[in-house]
Amino acid sequence: MTVRVRFAPSPTGMFHVGGARSALQNWIYAKQQGGVFVLRIEDTDAARNKPEWTEGILSALDWIGISRGSYEGPYFQSENAGEHRAAATRLYESGRAYYCDCTREDVQARTGSQYQGYDGYHRDRGLGPGPGHALRFRTPDEGVTVVVDLIRGEPTFENKLIEDFVIARGDGSPVFLLANVVDDMTMGITHVIRAEEHLPNTPKQQLLWDALGVKPPVWAHVPVVVNEKRQKLSKRRDKVALEAYRDEGYLAGAMRNYLMLLGWAPSGDREIVPWSVIEDEFRLDEVNPSPAFFDEKKLRAFNGEYIRALPVAEFVEACQPWLTGTGTIAPPPWQPDEFDADAFAAVAPLAQTRIAVLSEIVPNVDFLFLASPMIDEAAWTKTMKDGSGELLDAAVTAFEALESWDAESLKSTLEAVGAERGLKLGKTQAPVRVAVTGRTVGLPLFESLEVLGRERTLTRIRAARLRLP
């Protein structure tokens, strides 16, 4: 039997990091088993679906390494509507489903509570199809439904506690539960690997598989992803869009690595490992069923490690979208003709060790490409104290006299300027840094001045001096 897994997102918004994790788990499992990864777009919610969301799903999958052409699909759930309706008809004709015209208010009136489920009122009343008649599945009165799950063991559900659930609406359109089952049957899905939140629906879906005469797939419900308060990640509250992390400058390799650690770990005392190791070692039955904490700080640290591991040439290439403002990346504060590729190449090794996401490259190097630095006024106020003007004057005089404009000469010269005034180098260089770069922190100062050049450095220090008493 060929293993066939599926990833079935809905095109109703940005691509959720939890969905990305599920996609990767399905992808790896299919690859390990010599199987097939199927992409199905569940697009039956016409009011919320947008073509751009579908393209966003495909682009996000491309980015994390599940590229177009390497999987089967994408299929669209809406294209299988005829099979959904046919399955509903078979269930009705076989006596496994019946029609009901009860409204929600009718159900509440009979049970006396909005929290009670449907009471089977129309089970044996012989109501036929018609406008406003929903089709309900006839759940067995006795016995249990056992869900064999690779991660959670054998969750068991008493059938008498499962209400006769709706499988087709009053207008005849099948609901998600039935459509999902029929699609998996039609596509020959053998393993369903999905988030824990779908587990409550699983006994209902398994009953549908049984009623339609097809063996259910192997189930595997991976743990829910939660935030630092142990709340399920929410689009409304948390930063969950994969595209947002991509556009901020997270590397695909770091994101893949981190997502796979949400509920699982490679062998040994290690977390940052080559993708080939994850592909080889990942096992579904080793996934921890407990909720998985999505720690953005940890992801950021991961990304910094991945950035520092890049060859410098690859780092320079990876920074280009932020330096040029291409794709979905906002343009930098300098004009295209102000960018100096050679200057950036000179400071790239310094920047590479200091940033955790690629978007941070812009505030680290903008002073090189702007006509004048973007002054952080809070930094200016903090740094430019009494005596700073006289210190800047001395720095200009000393720098003008330099024969060699290199980092070591600049450092020793400014160090001497500070020593004459009883200042350590840190105190001496702070006003110079703000005058030249606009900030109190950034790349190593003297290497930066070397790349910036004598004329531009002196011009900026003089301009800062004019702002002081």
Side-chain angles (χ1 to χ4, degrees):
M1 177 187 71
T2 299
V3 167
R4 290 175 61 83
V5 303
R6 50 78 164 173
F7 177 59
S10 298
T12 56
M14 303 295 276
F15 195 64
H16 197 291
V17 291
R21 180 196 59 168
S22 294
L24 289 169
Q25 291 169 330
N26 276 277
W27 176 258
I28 292 177
Y29 188 77
K31 189 172 182 179
Q32 288 176 338
Q33 303 299 319
V36 178
F37 177 97
V38 177
L39 176 62
R40 182 173 75 229
I41 306 297
E42 299 195 331
D43 62 339
T44 52
D45 189 349
R48 298 175 61 205
N49 295 339
K50 295 182 180 180
E52 55 265 36
W53 295 135
T54 297
E55 176 56 32
I57 291 170
L58 300 179
S59 297
L61 290 175
D62 282 340
W63 183 64
I64 60 172
I66 304 176
S67 58
R68 292 173 234 214
S70 64
Y71 50 78
E72 190 177 303
Y75 298 111
F76 292 87
Q77 189 172 65
S78 58
E79 296 173 349
N80 210 24
E83 291 292 331
H84 303 158
R85 290 178 179 271
T89 299
R90 291 200 303 275
L91 290 169
Y92 171 66
E93 293 177 345
S94 67
R96 301 303 301 270
Y98 61 91
Y99 283 98
C100 169
D101 64 0
C102 291
T103 64
R104 183 175 300 176
E105 290 73 21
D106 292 335
V107 174
Q108 292 178 8
R110 282 199 307 276
T111 62
S113 170
Q114 61 178 316
Y115 302 108
Q116 296 289 337
Y118 179 68
D119 59 359
Y121 179 77
H122 275 287
R123 262 192 167 213
D124 301 308
R125 293 179 180 269
L127 186 68
H133 295 186
L135 187 63
R136 288 182 178 273
F137 183 76
R138 190 185 298 271
T139 303
D141 294 319
E142 300 178 348
V144 296
T145 296
V146 179
V147 175
V148 179
D149 192 296
L150 292 178
I151 297 172
R152 301 179 183 279
E154 297 186 357
T156 301
F157 302 84
E158 292 189 64
N159 291 332
K160 67 180 181 181
L161 300 180
I162 303 174
E163 68 174 3
D164 290 354
F165 52 93
V166 173
I167 58 175
R169 303 177 184 88
D171 62 2
S173 62
V175 302
F176 169 78
L177 277 174
L178 180 61
N180 190 266
V181 167
V182 172
D183 288 342
D184 285 346
M185 288 181 179
T186 302
M187 297 174 185
I189 302 304
T190 62
H191 293 68
V192 172
I193 305 166
R194 61 186 182 182
E196 175 189 359
E197 63 197 68
H198 296 287
L199 182 58
N201 287 329
T202 306
K204 297 178 182 179
Q205 291 179 316
Q206 185 157 307
L207 287 170
L208 288 172
W209 279 84
D210 292 337
L212 290 168
V214 182
K215 182 181 178 181
V218 176
W219 307 102
H221 288 88
V222 300
V224 66
V225 182
V226 298
N227 62 20
E228 60 185 4
K229 295 181 180 179
R230 297 305 187 265
Q231 301 166 318
K232 177 185 171 185
L233 284 187
S234 166
K235 291 182 178 180
R236 297 180 180 179
R237 181 185 57 239
D238 303 303
K239 181 180 173 183
V240 300
L242 190 71
E243 299 93 326
Y245 288 99
R246 177 194 63 195
D247 293 350
E248 190 177 337
Y250 284 82
L251 299 179
M255 180 61 77
R256 282 198 305 266
N257 188 162
Y258 182 70
L259 288 176
M260 288 302 296
L261 297 182
L262 297 178
W264 175 81
S267 61
D269 186 19
R270 54 183 180 164
E271 292 184 312
I272 297 178
V273 295
W275 184 244
S276 59
V277 171
I278 293 176
E279 286 187 319
D280 181 61
E281 293 190 1
F282 176 71
R283 297 290 183 273
L284 268 177
D285 58 6
E286 294 178 359
V287 172
N288 189 324
S290 301
F293 172 35
F294 187 88
D295 186 345
E296 190 176 342
K297 292 179 180 178
K298 185 173 182 178
L299 171 60
R300 180 182 170 85
F302 260 57
N303 202 65
E305 292 289 335
Y306 269 80
I307 285 177
R308 288 186 284 278
L310 289 173
V312 175
E314 290 185 22
F315 173 71
V316 170
E317 182 62 28
C319 289
Q320 293 308 305
W322 287 268
L323 299 174
T324 59
T326 57
T328 58
I329 307 302
W334 56 80
Q335 296 301 313
D337 60 354
E338 293 179 308
F339 179 69
D340 184 336
D342 291 337
F344 178 69
V347 300
L350 305 175
Q352 186 175 2
T353 64
R354 285 166 170 77
I355 65 174
V357 293
L358 294 175
S359 58
E360 292 175 347
I361 196 63
V362 172
N364 272 277
V365 302
D366 59 3
F367 72 95
L368 286 173
F369 312 122
L370 295 170
S372 58
M374 299 174 64
I375 301 293
D376 179 342
E377 293 300 330
W380 178 277
T381 301
K382 178 181 178 180
T383 304
M384 299 301 186
K385 304 294 186 180
D386 291 343
S388 293
E390 189 269 338
L391 181 63
L392 292 180
D393 285 336
V396 167
T397 300
F399 286 165
E400 284 178 327
L402 275 176
E403 294 184 4
S404 176
W405 189 265
D406 60 80
E408 190 58 39
S409 298
L410 288 162
K411 179 181 178 181
S412 59
T413 298
L414 193 59
E415 201 166 25
V417 168
E420 292 176 358
R421 291 157 179 79
L423 299 174
K424 293 184 178 180
L425 182 59
K427 292 287 186 180
T428 308
Q429 70 178 11
V432 174
R433 178 184 289 279
V434 172
V436 175
T437 71
R439 299 180 176 89
T440 55
V441 295
L443 304 185
L445 176 62
F446 303 108
E447 288 81 353
S448 298
L449 300 186
E450 179 180 339
V451 175
L452 187 65
R454 184 192 303 265
E455 181 179 348
R456 296 177 72 192
T457 297
L458 294 177
T459 296
R460 292 183 180 192
I461 297 175
R462 292 186 184 112
R465 178 65 182 92
L466 292 176
R467 290 186 56 177
L468 296 172

